[in-house]
Amino acid sequence: MSLTGREAVSSLESQAGDGTPVPDCWFAFRVLSLSPLVTISTVDTSSVHLLELAMRVPELFDTGKGLHLLHPTWNYERSGISGIALDLERTRALLPGHEFLYLANYDHEANLVSKAGLSAITTNDGVFADEKVWRPYLPRFEGFQHYDAVYDARIETVKRHRLATSVKRPLLIYGHSVNGDTEADMKAVQAILPQATFANHRIGRSRYLSLDHDAVVRLYGHASVGLALSAEEGAMRASTQYLLAGLPVVSTHSVGGRDRYYHFPFTRIVSDDPDEIASTVSGLAAAGLDRGRIRQSFQQILDFERHNVVIALNHAVAALLGTKDFLRDFTPLIGSMSLFRHLKLNMVLARQALAKGTV
C-alpha cells in the first residue's frame, strides 16, 4: 500500500495518536538528520504545517535546538507574507531554540521573505526533481497518438486551460482538483477544449484515475512540447519535469519562479494569446529538437544550482547548530518535495524515524 494514498490514512489512524482530531492537511516532510535535528517541509501562504506535526509528535522536536527548512507551495509576491508570519510566530513559540530557513523559489521572493524577518535562500522547486524518474521515455501507452503539446496541471481555472484552445492536439494530465470537483472541472474544460485527450480519464476508462510518476513520464513521450499556462504559481513542478524529460516548453508570463529556467533556446515565454501559443508550439514541434540534449542542458543548470544550495545549507547548519559539512551533496534532498502525505502519515513516519535513531 502506498503511504501517499487516502486509503493509507484510514489504515494508519490508530498509529497516528490518541484519537484526538487531526486536521485534514497534506504536506511534504522529511527528517534529514536527528543529530543535529534538521527537517524539510512544505508551507503554504498561511500555514506552517510543521507546527501541526510538532504539536502531535513533540518527542521528535525535544532536542533543544534544530533547523527546519521551509519550502513554499505557492508564492507571496501578491498575497503577502502576513499569514504565514503569524503561523511561524506560533511555531517559534512552541519550539524555542529552533531555527527556520525559507527555501524561496526565486530571488525576489527570498528578498520579500527576508524583509519580513525570516532567513531565506533561493532554492527553486526544480532542484528537488528526481532525474532518475523524469527522463526522455520511448515506450508508449497503447491507444495514445502523438500530441502537439502536453499540459500537466490540475483542471482548475487558475491553470488557464482556455489558452490552449488553438492547439490542435493537446494532451491533458491532471491531479485531483483542490478547490472544486474533478469530474465537473473536467466537463467544463472539455467544453472549452473538445479536441483534447484527457489522459487520466482515458486510462481510467471514463473514470478519473490518479497516475503515478512512471505513467506521467511515459505520457510525456507522446508529446512534442510541454505547456505552462498559469499566470501565478509556486514554481510549477511540471515545468521542471518537462525539461528533464527532454520536452521544450511554451510558457506564458508568470509569477512564482518557474521562469528561472526559461533562458534556453528551447523555451519560449509568450503572451496570453491562444493563437500565439499554438503557433509557438507548432514551431518548436517542427524543429525536431533532441530530447537528450534538452535534458543534458537543463541537468547542467540543476547541478550548478544544487551545488550552491549545498554550500548555503552547510553554512547555515554550521552557524546555527555547530555541525560542519552537514551535506556532502544534494542527494538526501532529491525527491523530498514531491510526496505530499496526510498529517497522520507524517506523524507515523516521524515516529518511525525517531524509533530507528537514524535517518
Side-chain angles (χ1 to χ4, degrees), residues 174-213:
Y174 37 97
H176 280 287
S177 296
V178 174
N179 299 310
D181 176 82
T182 305
E183 296 295 331
D185 290 342
M186 187 207 70
K187 290 178 181 177
V189 173
Q190 227 171 8
I192 299 171
L193 301 177
Q195 79 279 26
T197 294
F198 291 75
N200 299 68
H201 278 77
R202 173 169 288 191
I203 295 172
R205 299 181 180 180
S206 299
R207 297 184 63 181
Y208 178 81
L209 179 67
S210 180
L211 303 178
D212 62 20
H213 291 166

Side-chain angles (χ1 to χ4, degrees), residues 5-315:
R6 291 184 181 271
E7 298 84 356
V9 174
S10 297
S11 69
L12 291 175
E13 259 185 17
S14 60
Q15 301 178 49
D18 57 5
T20 57
V22 175
D24 186 22
C25 122
W26 296 73
F27 60 101
F29 169 76
R30 181 178 291 183
V31 178
L32 298 176
S33 169
L34 287 173
S35 182
L37 178 63
V38 181
T39 73
I40 182 170
S41 58
T42 52
V43 297
D44 61 31
T45 53
S46 61
S47 302
V48 177
H49 299 305
L50 191 73
L51 172 61
E52 300 289 347
L53 189 64
M55 288 190 295
R56 291 165 177 81
V57 192
E59 60 270 29
L60 175 65
F61 300 87
D62 188 20
T63 57
K65 60 181 180 179
L67 175 63
H68 307 288
L69 312 177
L70 307 177
H71 186 61
T73 57
W74 202 252
N75 72 84
Y76 300 100
E77 188 167 335
R78 292 178 178 168
S79 66
I81 196 172
S82 59
I84 190 177
L86 181 61
D87 224 33
L88 183 62
E89 185 178 336
R90 295 172 59 211
T91 309
R92 282 173 166 158
L94 183 68
L95 301 175
H98 290 246
E99 302 287 346
F100 302 86
L101 181 63
Y102 185 87
L103 307 183
N105 278 312
Y106 53 119
D107 295 338
H108 180 56
E109 183 179 52
N111 185 48
L112 291 174
V113 172
S114 295
K115 285 183 177 180
L118 177 58
S119 299
I121 61 172
T122 298
T123 310
N124 188 279
D125 191 85
V127 301
F128 299 107
D130 189 345
E131 59 268 42
K132 293 180 181 178
V133 174
W134 306 107
R135 62 198 188 282
Y137 215 106
L138 293 178
R140 301 289 195 263
F141 263 113
E142 185 177 350
F144 282 79
Q145 58 178 332
H146 189 81
Y147 300 88
D148 290 13
V150 58
Y151 191 22
D152 184 356
R154 296 189 313 274
I155 303 181
E156 296 183 358
T157 304
V158 69
K159 300 297 184 176
R160 305 200 299 179
H161 287 76
R162 57 182 173 77
L163 295 180
T165 51
S166 295
V167 177
K168 292 181 180 178
R169 292 180 299 275
L171 174 65
L172 305 184
I173 304 170
Y174 37 97
H176 280 287
S177 296
V178 174
N179 299 310
D181 176 82
T182 305
E183 296 295 331
D185 290 342
M186 187 207 70
K187 290 178 181 177
V189 173
Q190 227 171 8
I192 299 171
L193 301 177
Q195 79 279 26
T197 294
F198 291 75
N200 299 68
H201 278 77
R202 173 169 288 191
I203 295 172
R205 299 181 180 180
S206 299
R207 297 184 63 181
Y208 178 81
L209 179 67
S210 180
L211 303 178
D212 62 20
H213 291 166
D214 180 69
V216 172
V217 75
R218 287 171 61 198
L219 286 169
Y220 285 178
H222 287 263
S224 295
V225 175
L227 293 174
L229 303 178
S230 60
E232 185 175 0
E233 285 268 4
M236 187 181 174
R237 190 160 294 126
S239 174
T240 303
Q241 294 167 188
Y242 294 153
L243 293 170
L244 285 174
L247 289 177
V249 175
V250 173
S251 170
T252 55
H253 295 276
S254 63
V255 169
R258 72 175 184 246
D259 56 356
R260 183 175 180 84
Y261 302 123
Y262 288 173
H263 66 286
F264 292 106
F266 44 79
T267 58
R268 301 283 190 276
I269 300 177
V270 300
S271 67
D272 297 348
D273 175 44
D275 290 337
E276 183 181 359
I277 290 168
S279 174
T280 307
V281 165
S282 296
L284 283 173
L289 299 170
D290 183 87
R291 298 189 185 215
R293 293 188 67 178
I294 291 175
R295 173 187 168 88
Q296 183 180 32
S297 296
F298 182 54
Q299 184 70 60
Q300 290 176 338
I301 297 297
L302 279 191
D303 290 343
F304 176 77
E305 293 266 80
R306 289 170 173 176
H307 169 76
N308 285 298
V309 170
V310 167
I311 290 175
L313 291 181
N314 279 342
H315 280 307

